[in-house]
Every structure is written in structure tokens, then in C-alpha cells.
């Protein structure tokens, strides 16, 4: 009776958020305490004994970051057809990683990507370059996650974004530093459950509301529930063109840019150190393959629903605010306005919100990143559903942030200190170094979260470009080309990461210019998010050319490369 009264009286969004976020945070912290790491093996790879199901769920949570949960559907909402590059790139990239790289890296048996680079290319210089690349990629990626945390806190707990980032830093620090990979793995299992439930519940509600179909993946291609027999996508095309925008189902990006971004995201995925390390936490190579397949099935649930969420959010937003009197805008609009993520400037003084493609007349600016978070509010769903989305967004951001912070700390403590600076360090000393590295990494991540180079998905896309430009060629050549030597790999990584960094700094951050560069200055018409493809090709070319003029790898290294490509037990049939 009391519970029924408690629900019917209504708590309001903020109180529901405190309850649901508080409960999920308590769960994460409890799991971290229960599964705290007691050795470096537990800290780096969870002791190597995680089951394929648990690892698949943890990998899915690690993979579905704030960019997937918050920003991907937001980008698709505004970019329409062009936003499909993120779906194709990230999904295709995960398949590439699972089938082409993960089993071989697992068989090689190294904790981290720089560890693989250092041993495969028999060089501490190669290891150092690998550590540098891992840190650059991870810090760029984690900046997007921390911004996502700040966004959620700023709206739903009504604190400013910077305070939200600091709160997120403290939570991540607690369970990442205490639990290491062991704590993070089981925390991520819980976080997957929270984030997928939080993403799908409002999607199902709104799909029923708009089309009568309870399956969002089918709903956004269905006719409207108002009996008009109009397809939802046709309606959105009409709303978009009426406001001067390109039809939602048509693209405006050049073919070469679509190709470059998709490929950069795909091969960048295959070089992401925080995803690769997940395959070292299982007992056997076949468990790595199995957990990769489970993770893919779990990821597909959200990735196939994201386009539907994008369509629902875009349609509802246009209908709710376009050409409406500002005095009559709903409460959600005013709440988001206080965060600075929605801004209205009455240019013509008529008191109405003019939302138009023409930037000289447009009066409304909406940040891509709020669309998923604001979607249930725009659709007037119950307060607890709105709060649930906030908890899910935090789960997505924190799960990936924790994985990235572990990569950063492992790169410093294991690859830099243990392998290069002080090989005789005790296990206890290495564990302390790993935890101190994680603390320092959280502080740096917090700074980038407060001062990010763009919205969440754009920032994350740059991290994929950096991974594509640096790690992917070195890993592929290291596994499949036994003649690739250290000189070629080092030269390729240096050229690739340098090219990507310079392009990113010039054309995304504008550090070399007095004004922000425009699209007409992009090389070959390729955006910074897609330039990782060009930098990757440069890496391959430089690696192979330098290899031709330098000594071949030692015979024992070539033999290792031959062995990691032979399936376990393959020799049994010959005896």
C-alpha cells in the first residue's frame, strides 16, 4: 500500500534520479569491494579466469560507451542518413576485431597492446611508441566518456557539467583503483544490464506511442498510430524539408568521406587497447572467440535500436518546439536551457522559436548529445523512465571510462615501469604503481572531460582515428607478416600517429589558425573523423618501405609469428 502511494504521488525526476543512480552506484561499489584485486594478474586481466558469458557482457559494456548510448543516436537524429557511418563503422569494426585479431592476440598471451608491440617487434623503442600511442588514444577516448558523465549530472542532478565530471571521476577512481580488471569486469556485467534496460525501455514506450509497434527496430519503419497510414520516416522527411534541411533519409556527405570515416572507425576498433585487453581475461583462446560472439549479440540490441531512437527523438523535438511560442515551451526545454545545451535567440523578435536550416534565420541550437537523454522527457514518459535513462547513460560512460583508465595505468606500470625502467620491481610495488597511475589518469581524464575537443561521439571518433593510424597496421603486420621488423613498425606508427594528430589539431581544434578551418580546406574532402584511414595507409606504406631496407626479424620472432597463427591442436591430426 505504501509503495503504491509512493509511486502515485510522484517523486519528480530529480528524486527518481537520486534513487536510481544511487542504487546503481551502490551496486558498482559493492561489486568492486567484493572483487578487489589482490595481485597484478587480477588487476590487469582479472586473473584470466572470467567465464565467456561474463566476459561477453563486460566487453559489450566496455564497448558501448557514452558515444554509443548518448551520442550516436543524437548524431543520427541530426545527420540522418549520414549518421549511418557510425553504425557501420563501429559494428563492422567489432566483427573485424573479434574474427581477425582477438584470438591471435590472446594466443600471443600479452596483457596489453604495447606489451604485444614490444615483444613482437623485440624492441623497447617499439614498446615506448606503443605506450605513447595507447595513452594518446585512451585519453582522447576517455575525454568523451567524462563529458558524457558531466552532461547527465548537469541536467538530472542539476549541477554544472564540471561538478558532474568530478563526481564521475570519484566513482570511477574508487572501483577502478580498488578492483582493477577483476573489479571492473564484474561491475561492467552489472552496467551492461543497467544500460541496455535503460536504453530499450523508453524506446519501446515511444515506439508504441508513435507507431503502435512495441519493437523499436520495426517501429521506426512503420506507419503512424494516428491512422493516417503515413510512414514515420516519410513524415520526418517532410518535417525536415519544410524547415530547409536535407530529407532525413538522404545523405549530404561525400562518398569518399563516408568511406573514410567508416573504415577509420572499423580499423580503429580493431586497434582499441581497452577492448583488446578484454580477450586476455578468459582461460582459453576458444573462450575468447565465444565471448566475442556473445558480446556481438548483446551489442546488436542497442545498435539496431539507435536509429529508431534517433527518428523518434527528432520527430518529437521538431513537433514540440518548432514555430512554438517561447512562452509556452514545456518544462524539459527550460531545464535543458539552463545547462547551455539548448539555446534560443529570438532574432526576429516575434517570440516564436524558428528552427530552420538557414543559419542566418535559425534561432534554436540543440547539442547532439542531449537527444537520447531528453527523448523520454519530450515524449512525456513517466519520471522514473527519464531517471532510468540517466542511470543507463552513467553506466555506459563509467564502464568504458574504467576500462580506459585501466589501459592507461597498465601501460605506465607494466609496460613502462616493469618492462623498461625497473624490471626487478616486486609484484606489490607494481600493483601500487598501477593504482597510482590510475589516480593520475583519472585527474587528466577529468581535465579533458571538462575541456573536450568536441561533442561525445566526435571526440570518440577521433580516438578511433588515432587507433587506426597507429596500432592497426602494427598489429595486422605483426600477426600476419612474419618478415615485418621493428624498424618498419616503429617508423609506421610514428608517421601514422603524427599525421593524425596534426590533422586533428589543425582541422578540429584549429590551433594553427586564427579562425576555425572550414570543410573546403579538408584534404581530399575527408573530415578529421575520417582522416585515420589516410594516416593508416601512410603507416602501412612507410612500414613496408622501411622494412625493405632494414634487417629481417630474428628467427625466434618469426617462429613465434608462425605459431600464433596455428590453431590449438592442429598438429594432433598428423600423429
Amino acid at each position: 500500500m505504501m509503495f503504491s502511494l509512493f509511486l502515485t504521488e510522484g517523486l519528480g525526476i530529480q528524486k527518481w534520479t537520486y534513487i536510481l543512480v544511487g542504487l546503481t552506484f551502490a551496486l558498482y561499489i559493492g561489486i568492486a569491494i567484493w572483487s578487489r584485486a589482490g595481485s597484478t594478474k587480477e588487476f590487469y586481466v582479472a586473473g584470466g579466469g572470467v567465464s565467456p558469458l561474463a566476459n561477453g557482457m563486460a566487453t559489450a559494456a566496455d564497448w558501448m560507451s557514452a558515444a554509443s548510448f548518448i551520442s550516436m543516436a543524437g548524431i543520427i537524429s541530426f545527420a540522418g542518413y549520414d549518421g549511418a557511418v557510425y553504425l557501420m563503422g563501429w559494428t563492422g569494426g567489432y566483427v573485424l576485431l573479434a574474427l581477425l585479431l582477438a584470438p591471435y592476440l590472446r594466443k600471443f598471451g600479452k596483457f596489453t597492446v604495447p606489451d604485444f608491440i614490444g615483444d613482437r617487434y623485440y624492441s623497447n623503442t617499439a614498446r615506448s611508441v606503443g605506450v605513447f600511442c595507447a595513452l594518446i588514444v585512451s585519453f582522447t577516448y576517455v575525454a568523451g566518456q567524462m563529458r558524457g558523465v558531466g552532461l547527465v549530472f548537469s541536467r538530472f542532478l542539476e549541477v554544472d557539467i564540471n561538478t558532474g565530471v568530478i563526481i564521475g571521476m570519484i566513482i570511477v577512481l574508487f572501483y577502478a583503483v580498488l578492483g582493477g580488471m577483476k573489479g571492473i569486469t564484474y561491475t561492467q556485467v552489472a552496467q551492461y544490464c543497467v544500460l541496455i534496460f535503460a536504453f530499450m525501455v523508453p524506446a519501446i514506450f515511444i515506439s508504441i506511442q508513435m507507431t503502435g509497434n512495441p519493437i523499436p527496430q520495426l517501429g521506426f519503419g512503420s506507419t503512424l498510430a494516428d491512422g493516417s497510414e503515413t510512414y514515420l520516416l516519410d513524415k520526418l522527411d517532410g518535417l525536415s524539408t519544410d524547415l530547409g534541411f536535407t530529407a532525413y533519409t538522404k545523405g549530404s556527405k561525400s562518398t569518399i568521406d563516408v568511406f573514410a570515416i567508416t573504415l577509420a572507425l572499423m580499423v580503429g576498433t580493431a586497434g582499441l587497447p581497452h577492448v583488446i585487453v578484454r580477450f586476455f581475461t578468459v582461460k582459453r583462446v576458444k573462450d575468447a572467440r565465444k565471448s566475442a560472439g556473445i558480446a556481438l549479440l548483446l551489442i546488436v540490441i542497442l545498435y539496431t535500436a539507435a536509429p529508431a531512437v534517433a527518428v523518434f527523438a527528432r520527430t518529437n523535438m521538431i513537433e514540440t518546439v518548432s514555430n512554438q511560442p517561447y512562452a509556452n515551451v514545456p518544462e524539459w526545454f527550460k531545464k535543458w536551457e539552463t545547462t547551455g545545451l539548448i539555446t534560443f535567440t529570438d532574432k526576429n523578435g516575434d517570440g516564436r522559436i524558428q528552427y530552420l536550416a538557414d543559419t542566418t534565420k535559425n534561432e534554436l541550437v540543440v547539442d547532439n548529445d542531449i537527444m537520447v537523454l531528453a527523448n523520454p522527457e519530450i515524449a512525456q514518459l513517466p519520471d522514473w523512465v527519464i531517471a532510468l535513462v540517466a542511470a543507463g547513460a552513467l553506466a555506459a560512460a563509467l564502464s568504458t571510462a574504467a576500462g580506459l583508465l585501466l589501459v592507461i595505468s597498465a601501460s605506465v606500470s607494466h609496460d613502462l615501469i616493469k618492462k623498461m625502467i625497473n624490471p626487478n620491481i616486486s609484484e606489490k610495488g607494481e600493483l601500487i604503481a598501477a593504482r597510482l597511475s590510475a589516480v593520475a589518469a583519472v585527474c587528466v581524464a577529468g581535465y579533458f572531460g571538462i575541456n573536450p575537443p568536441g561533442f561525445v561521439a566526435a571526440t570518440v571518433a577521433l580516438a578511433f582515428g588515432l587507433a587506426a593510424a597507429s596500432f592497426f597496421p602494427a598489429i595486422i603486420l605483426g600477426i600476419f607478416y612474419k618478415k615485418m621488423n621493428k624498424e618498419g613498425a616503429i617508423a609506421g606508427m610514428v608517421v601514422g600517429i603524427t599525421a593524425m594528430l596534426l590533422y586533428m589539431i589543425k582541422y578540429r581544434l584549429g590551433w594553427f589558425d586564427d579562425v576555425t578551418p572550414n570543410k573546403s580546406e579538408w584534404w581530399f574532402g575527408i573530415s578529421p573523423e575520417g582522416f585515420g584511414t589516410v594516416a593508416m595507409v601512410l603507416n602501412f606504406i612507410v612500414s613496408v618501405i622501411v622494412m625493405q631496407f632494414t634487417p629481417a626479424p630474428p628467427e625466434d620472432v618469426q617462429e613465434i609469428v608462425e605459431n600464433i597463427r596455428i590453431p590449438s591442436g592442429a598438429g594432433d591430426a598428423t600423429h
Side-chain angles (χ1 to χ4, degrees), residues 113 117 121 126 129-130 132-133 137 267-268 271 464-478 481 484-501 531-548:
V113 175
I117 298 287
Y121 294 112
V129 174
F132 174 78
C133 294
V137 171
V267 299
F464 280 78
L466 290 163
S470 56
F471 283 132
F472 182 72
I475 294 171
I476 285 289
L477 293 170
Y481 190 26
M484 179 47 61
N485 60 13
K486 64 181 179 181
E487 291 85 358
I490 292 167
M493 284 194 291
V494 170
V495 169
I497 194 85
T498 303
M500 182 61 195
L501 281 172
F531 192 76
T533 295
V534 178
M536 174 198 68
V537 172
L538 279 175
N539 185 333
F540 272 117
I541 292 170
V542 170
S543 297
V544 173
I545 290 174
V546 171
M547 180 208 71
Q548 304 293 334

Side-chain angles (χ1 to χ4, degrees), residues 5 12 26 67 70 90 118 161-162 183 233 288 317 320 341 415 442 479 536 559 566:
L5 184 65
I70 297 174
W90 283 336
I161 289 181
N162 295 355
L233 285 170
M317 191 208 62
T320 304
L341 300 172
D415 300 315
V442 167
I479 292 172
M536 174 198 68
E559 193 174 326
I566 299 170

Side-chain angles (χ1 to χ4, degrees), residues 186-209:
Y186 294 108
T187 304
Q188 285 174 336
V189 170
Q191 284 167 331
Y192 174 79
C193 298
V194 171
L195 76 86
I196 201 68
F197 188 67
F199 196 85
M200 293 305 298
V201 166
I204 291 166
F205 271 143
I206 299 171
S207 186
I208 293 170
Q209 191 182 79

Side-chain angles (χ1 to χ4, degrees), residues 29 32 49 54 74 83 118 138 141 169 209 249 307 312 342 393 404 556:
I29 291 169
S138 300
Y141 204 145
M169 285 166 57
Q209 191 182 79
T249 53
F312 301 152
I342 288 181
L404 289 163
D556 60 322

Side-chain angles (χ1 to χ4, degrees), residues 356-379:
L356 302 165
D358 185 342
T359 54
T360 61
K361 296 178 182 177
N362 179 51
E363 299 175 341
L364 181 67
V365 178
V366 182
D367 191 296
N368 290 359
D369 290 338
I370 75 165
M371 293 306 287
V372 169
L373 300 174
N375 192 25
E377 292 183 272
I378 300 170

Side-chain angles (χ1 to χ4, degrees), residues 78-83 237 241 245-253:
F78 288 93
Y81 181 85
D82 288 337
D237 273 348
T241 53
F245 295 99
T246 305
Y248 188 83
T249 53
K250 293 191 185 325
S252 59
K253 279 186 180 295

